[in-house]
Amino acid sequence: MDHLLHLDRTLDELDPPRWDPPSADATHLVRTVHALRRVRLGELGPADLRMLVAQRVALPHVLPLAVRLLLEEPLLDSCFYEGDLLLTVLGSPASAWLPLPDLSAQLRAAITTLPEAAVADLPRGAAEELARFTGRTEPLR
């Protein structure tokens, strides 16, 4: 199943119900996430995807977009540091991956090809998170 068929549609269209506008006293994060739900999927950038995944918004639609970027560049720096999108995606609940077994397998394969030096440069705990996702008993080094 191609999870990228709806790049011309928004999360408000694909993930009902449409969200009401945020309240006047909403935080910047809440206002931003609400606004991102009205952006066409094909126009979402890496930082947008990182934010939506981190907030666990419409993961069946957002994870495939993030994985597509990660397959091209696993340690993509979306906003804060090299690998931030990858580590955010790996923090998604296991249930989010159940309808996406092919994408999960592709991402696991990409992770296992990461150079040791690149993994060593990631934040503390990243190697363990990578190992958990790939099903290894030892952290990637």
Side-chain angles (χ1 to χ4, degrees), residues 19-57:
W19 288 11
D20 292 331
S23 64
D25 63 342
T27 65
H28 175 71
L29 174 64
V30 169
R31 288 191 311 274
T32 301
V33 170
H34 276 254
L36 289 174
R37 286 187 52 90
R38 295 187 304 273
V39 174
R40 288 187 180 108
L41 295 185
E43 297 173 10
L44 294 171
D48 303 329
L49 295 171
R50 188 203 53 76
M51 182 177 291
L52 290 166
V53 171
Q55 297 304 310
R56 298 185 177 179
V57 174

Side-chain angles (χ1 to χ4, degrees), residues 53-132:
V53 171
Q55 297 304 310
R56 298 185 177 179
V57 174
L59 290 178
H61 301 287
V62 176
L63 279 176
L65 297 171
V67 170
R68 176 178 65 170
L69 293 176
L70 293 170
L71 293 177
E72 293 176 16
E73 188 178 344
L75 296 177
L76 176 70
D77 179 342
S78 70
C79 187
F80 298 115
Y81 55 87
E82 190 173 47
D84 61 350
L85 179 59
L86 175 61
L87 293 175
T88 300
V89 163
L90 296 186
S92 298
S95 60
W97 293 102
L98 293 176
L100 307 169
D102 293 342
L103 289 176
S104 175
Q106 291 173 27
L107 186 57
R108 279 193 307 276
I111 289 169
T112 61
T113 66
L114 291 174
E116 289 181 28
V119 172
D121 287 341
L122 294 173
R124 184 183 328 197
E128 291 78 11
E129 187 67 16
L130 294 169
R132 181 199 58 78

